[in-house]
């Protein structure tokens, strides 16, 4: 009996969180983060371009950059965290690099090749 209970607990431990859509570098995403202020909970959204994706030890992190009033803001999101509530892909872009760190040096956003038509067809 105890073996069965350990097995059922281990399967719940392996279930880390919600499954998110596949995201690649260059995509514009909207990430919902759970914010707790006192007794209230709310979801704050951060929308920007994915600069890099790292996968290590079963953890997946996204580095997302956006421009706010001409100043670049970058955030690092751990997708296995319970604070990350939602992930929505807004736009697909075609890039030839694994890391888009060159976008940091540009004052304005560089135009990436738009392939949003793939998002509409469901591919």
């Amino acid at each position: 009996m105890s073996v069965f209970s350990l097995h059922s607990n281990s399967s719940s431990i392996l279930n880390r969180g919600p499954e998110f859509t596949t995201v690649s570098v260059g995509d514009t995403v909207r990430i919902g983060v759970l914010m707790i202020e006192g007794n209230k909970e709310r979801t704050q959204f951060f929308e920007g371009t994915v600069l890099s994706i790292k996968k290590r030890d079963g953890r997946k992190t996204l580095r997302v950059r956006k421009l706010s009033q001409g100043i670049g803001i970058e955030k690092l999101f751990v997708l296995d965290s319970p604070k990350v509530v939602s992930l929505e892909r807004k736009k697909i872009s075609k890039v030839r690099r694994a890391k888009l760190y060159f976008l940091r040096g540009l004052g304005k956003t560089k135009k990436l090749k738009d392939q949003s038509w793939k998002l509409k067809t469901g591919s």
Side-chain angles (χ1 to χ4, degrees), residues 3-97:
V3 175
F4 179 76
S5 63
L6 286 176
H7 180 64
S8 63
N9 288 341
S10 64
S11 65
S12 65
I13 291 171
L14 293 177
N15 233 352
R16 293 193 176 186
E19 290 295 324
F20 295 117
T21 60
T22 56
V23 176
S24 59
V25 176
D27 291 350
T28 301
V29 294
R30 185 173 188 222
I31 299 176
V33 180
L34 185 68
M35 302 295 289
I36 301 172
E37 299 168 342
N39 296 333
K40 297 180 183 179
E41 291 183 353
R42 67 180 179 91
T43 303
Q44 183 176 6
F45 292 99
F46 188 88
E47 186 170 344
T49 305
V50 177
L51 291 185
S52 68
I53 298 174
K54 289 187 181 179
K55 300 174 192 172
R56 182 176 297 157
D57 298 331
R59 297 175 62 189
K60 190 172 182 181
T61 60
L62 295 178
R63 185 176 298 269
V64 182
R65 178 182 175 88
K66 77 172 184 177
L67 281 178
S68 177
Q69 299 177 358
I71 299 173
I73 298 170
E74 285 186 17
K75 283 191 177 182
L76 190 67
F77 295 100
V78 179
L79 292 185
D80 295 333
S81 171
K83 299 280 186 180
V84 177
V85 179
S86 65
L87 176 67
E88 181 182 354
R89 185 161 57 168
K90 291 286 193 179
K91 185 173 120 178
I92 301 173
S93 298
K94 181 180 179 183
V95 294
R96 294 183 177 189
R97 304 280 180 269

